[in-house]
Amino acid sequence: MYFASTEEQRWVQRGLLPDLRRQPVAEELRGWNWDRPPLRSIYDRPLGVYEVAGKYCPTGRDVFLRRVQQLKTVPNVGMREGQRLHRVVADVLTEAKRLIYVHGQASVPFLEALASGVRSRDEDDARPTEEDDLSATKVRAVRAFESRRIVERVEAVLARQPHIQADGLAMLALPVSVEMKLDGRFLGLSEHLAADGISFPDTAVLDLKFGLREPFHRLTTTGYALVLESLFERPVDVGCVVYARFMNGRIVVERDFHLIGDELRQMFVEERDEKVRLVAEELDPGLPAVCPRSCPYLRTCRPADQGRVEPLRGPMSANLVDAAQPEAVAAH
């Protein structure tokens, strides 16, 4: 999912980065300036990046209910399936690196067995449910897709560097760290953040989505870029939201590479300040005009479900999960 094609790499190098050189990021919006405005957080109520960046609830009432009212919800089917697919991707990549370190240049046969041999943490822990049968096909498809890509990349490196050692092979073939744990305290965020992926050596932030494309998704990569800058004091200018969907038994991947420029950084900081404020001052932002049908707080906010049902919008990048939930509840 995370490995860019040659064309995408060229687009980043020749298309995006020259724009950054013409209009560099403002110094006050670099993460290493977390100790002064506008990056310094006024309130000591740390939030997760997903809470700041997530605008599925337009008013942020989901954050109020979770943080102030301490309401816990049960993840819906789409959320559970998304979590499961994320774990499959992370587990296959992690297992592939382990095999490379154990077997080195002789790792290809073991990597070829990944498609059928690796079980994710989620698969090991899960009890059978009605949705298992529905998502099992997607799990197998994701695992097979990732495995094939890994084998191709390892073989390509070995073809060029037949005497390479295990550490170099892992770095050149699989230059992505998955589920990287980050401390966001300098920016008023949680100390226990987890980015889907960080690619090296260009240090781009990667975020994987199995749902509809949303304009605010770039705020997630922006949040993690700011955190990385606050921790390592090195610029992080490129983000990529990876959209995976299923079509006729195949996986289709769209990668949204983008610069993490001033506008995105300002938007993230404003969202952080607004949501941290409503938590610190216990301000209920009220109901939005339209609630997504898939919101886990829908029964709390609209217990009678008396709003009229409207289509949300066209399924531009829907996968099977979200295409099944194309509706929203609107206020009267």
Side-chain angles (χ1 to χ4, degrees), residues 11-289:
W11 162 247
V12 172
Q13 296 296 327
R14 303 289 295 275
L16 285 180
L17 293 181
D19 290 342
L20 183 69
R21 288 192 284 271
R22 285 190 290 270
Q23 190 170 357
V25 172
E27 184 64 16
E28 66 267 22
L29 293 174
R30 288 293 192 185
W32 53 76
N33 285 316
W34 53 268
D35 58 337
R36 66 199 72 172
L39 296 189
R40 184 173 183 176
S41 180
I42 299 174
Y43 298 99
D44 184 22
R45 299 298 295 268
L47 298 177
V49 168
Y50 77 98
E51 292 176 303
V52 176
K55 292 174 66 66
Y56 296 101
C57 178
T59 65
R61 195 163 195 263
D62 55 339
V63 177
F64 169 81
L65 293 175
R66 184 184 308 113
R67 293 290 184 169
V68 179
Q69 298 294 323
Q70 301 291 310
L71 293 182
K72 296 182 178 179
T73 61
V74 177
N76 59 35
V77 173
M79 295 166 68
R80 290 195 294 275
E81 185 172 82
Q83 292 169 353
R84 191 178 186 186
L85 296 176
H86 271 80
R87 288 174 183 167
V88 170
V89 172
D91 287 351
V92 169
L93 273 169
T94 303
E95 177 65 8
K97 290 181 180 179
R98 188 189 71 80
L99 291 172
I100 290 173
Y101 279 107
V102 171
H103 302 287
Q105 300 166 16
S107 59
V108 170
F110 299 95
L111 296 172
E112 289 175 334
L114 277 174
S116 58
V118 173
R119 293 181 60 81
S120 73
R121 290 161 289 169
D122 184 78
E123 289 176 282
D124 290 335
D125 297 338
R127 295 181 176 86
T129 65
E130 293 182 358
E131 70 200 55
D132 280 348
D133 290 340
L134 298 175
S135 62
T137 300
K138 297 177 185 176
V139 168
R140 287 194 294 271
V142 169
R143 187 194 301 133
F145 179 88
E146 284 296 281
S147 302
R148 286 194 297 270
R149 294 277 288 152
I150 289 169
V151 171
E152 290 171 1
R153 292 182 64 85
V154 170
E155 287 184 323
V157 173
L158 288 174
R160 298 193 308 271
Q161 303 290 347
H163 305 296
I164 194 170
Q165 298 301 308
D167 190 50
L169 178 58
M171 181 61 193
L172 289 179
L174 309 176
V176 174
S177 289
V178 293
E179 295 188 354
M180 178 175 279
K181 304 302 181 185
L182 300 170
D183 186 343
R185 74 177 70 186
F186 294 145
L187 291 163
L189 300 171
S190 169
E191 299 176 22
H192 306 287
L193 303 174
D196 281 353
I198 308 294
S199 71
F200 300 98
D202 50 346
T203 316
V205 180
L206 309 168
D207 194 54
L208 178 59
K209 302 291 186 187
F210 287 95
L212 290 168
R213 181 190 290 252
E214 298 285 358
F216 55 81
H217 284 165
R218 291 182 176 187
L219 291 180
T220 299
T221 54
T222 302
Y224 288 122
L226 286 166
V227 171
L228 286 167
E229 289 180 348
S230 74
L231 294 173
F232 304 111
E233 302 203 358
R234 293 187 57 188
V236 180
D237 297 321
V238 176
C240 177
V241 183
V242 182
Y243 294 95
R245 57 191 173 95
F246 300 86
M247 177 184 292
N248 300 325
R250 294 182 294 107
I251 294 179
V252 178
V253 177
E254 300 173 8
R255 298 186 185 88
D256 174 29
F257 283 95
H258 52 274
L259 289 178
I260 301 174
D262 290 358
E263 183 178 2
L264 282 174
R265 291 165 185 264
Q266 289 171 340
M267 289 174 61
F268 182 86
V269 172
E270 290 170 3
E271 283 292 324
R272 179 203 63 180
D273 291 346
E274 179 62 26
K275 289 180 176 175
V276 169
R277 186 177 70 89
L278 71 85
V279 171
E281 300 182 7
E282 300 186 354
L283 302 172
D284 186 345
L287 293 173

Side-chain angles (χ1 to χ4, degrees), residues 294-316:
S294 58
C295 177
Y297 291 101
L298 188 62
R299 291 184 178 180
T300 300
C301 292
R302 300 183 188 277
D305 195 13
Q306 295 177 350
R308 64 188 169 86
V309 178
E310 293 182 338
L312 191 60
R313 60 180 173 80
M316 182 174 59

